[in-house]
């Protein structure tokens, strides 16, 4: 018997019949540690970011681990002038997940999803809904299941100066 309870996120992926692997690991403090723990490249550790378009209006943006949201590109894609990142408490209220575990799968609300085009054709790891758990899945399978919009919405992560 599995000693780990199935998270809402894993249950959602399983309910959709999507081929995936659940990757459990110890605590990580950086992108490099997360990639090593998951056995993937840093680009394949997908950050699921919650973006607020307006009052009670959010979306998920799937960002490769080694990149960051390009606000001008995302605003142009969505045709909006202003967006923001909600604080941790608001993000949890909007998704049902704590920061670091957020994923579109099993979210308390099925917000729209935008996936950076660089994810296509790769196996990626998404938040598993609980700490120290990731879902390894083909990005194309995840994008199709989430009906995500695929676009160039990121820039390279800036090197610390």
């Amino acid at each position: 018997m599995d000693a780990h309870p199935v998270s809402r996120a894993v249950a959602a992926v399983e309910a959709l019949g999507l081929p995936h692997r659940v990757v459990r690991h110890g605590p990580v403090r950086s992108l490099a540690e997360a990639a090593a723990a998951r056995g993937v490249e840093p680009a394949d550790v997908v950050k699921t970011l919650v973006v607020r378009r307006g009052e009670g209006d959010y979306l998920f943006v799937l960002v490769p681990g080694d990149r960051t949201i390009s606000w001008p590109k995302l605003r142009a894609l969505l045709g909006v002038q202003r967006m923001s990142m909600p604080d941790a408490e608001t993000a949890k209220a909007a998704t049902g997940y704590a920061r670091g575990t957020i994923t579109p799968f099993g979210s308390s609300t099925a917000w729209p999803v935008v996936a950076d085009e660089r994810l296509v054709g790769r196996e990626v790891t998404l938040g598993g809904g609980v700490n120290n758990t990731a879902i390894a899945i083909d990005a194309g399978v995840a994008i199709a299941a989430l009906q995500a919009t695929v676009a160039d919405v990121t820039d390279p992560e800036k090197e610390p100066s």
Side-chain angles (χ1 to χ4, degrees), residues 37-96:
R38 296 175 183 186
V40 299
E41 295 297 316
D44 298 326
V45 175
V46 174
K47 300 179 279 194
T48 301
L49 304 177
V50 179
V51 174
R52 180 181 180 270
R53 284 190 286 199
E55 187 64 38
D57 182 15
Y58 299 92
L59 64 133
F60 292 108
V61 182
L62 304 181
V63 177
D66 61 348
R67 298 184 67 85
T68 187
I69 285 179
S70 167
W71 292 105
K73 291 177 186 177
L74 188 59
R75 283 194 302 269
L77 175 71
L78 299 173
V80 297
Q81 294 300 311
R82 296 188 53 152
M83 290 181 292
S84 61
M85 300 274 293
D87 62 32
E89 186 177 313
T90 304
K92 185 170 185 179
T95 67

Side-chain angles (χ1 to χ4, degrees), residues 28-44:
V28 295
R29 296 182 302 274
S30 68
L31 172 63
E33 286 183 19
R38 296 175 183 186
V40 299
E41 295 297 316
D44 298 326

Side-chain angles (χ1 to χ4, degrees), residues 101-117:
T101 71
I102 294 174
T103 176
F105 290 107
S107 173
S108 55
T109 301
W111 301 111
V113 179
V114 174
D116 186 71
E117 65 187 15

